[in-house]
Amino acid sequence: MSANLAAVIAQAGQRVLVIDADMRKGTLHKVLGVTQTGGLSDVLGGKLEAADAIHTTDGVENMHYMV
């Protein structure tokens, strides 16, 4: 539901960042059809900078995600 809302807001011209904060059973990567690499757990663990963990979505301008 959050991915759909984010897509609608992004299509309206607003910049959106969707973060899947479920460390155990996150599903945002499945909804977006992407691989689960370089995400929130890496940022919190100090392995990656936040800017490097933010990815763009294909097909939806202004929508970014972190898994």
Side-chain angles (χ1 to χ4, degrees):
M1 187 159 117
S2 60
N4 288 336
L5 179 59
V8 169
I9 294 170
Q11 290 171 348
Q14 298 293 315
R15 294 179 68 202
V16 179
L17 173 61
V18 182
I19 301 174
D20 189 350
D22 188 341
M23 299 293 199
R24 220 170 48 109
K25 293 186 179 185
T27 58
L28 181 63
H29 68 284
K30 292 178 185 178
V31 171
L32 297 176
V34 298
T35 58
Q36 193 173 9
T37 60
L40 181 61
S41 62
D42 296 315
V43 173
L44 295 175
K47 298 177 185 175
L48 197 60
E49 293 293 320
D52 296 328
I54 297 172
H55 308 285
T56 59
T57 57
D58 294 333
V60 182
E61 190 177 340
N62 294 325
M63 183 173 159
H64 300 78
Y65 66 92
M66 183 186 300
V67 291

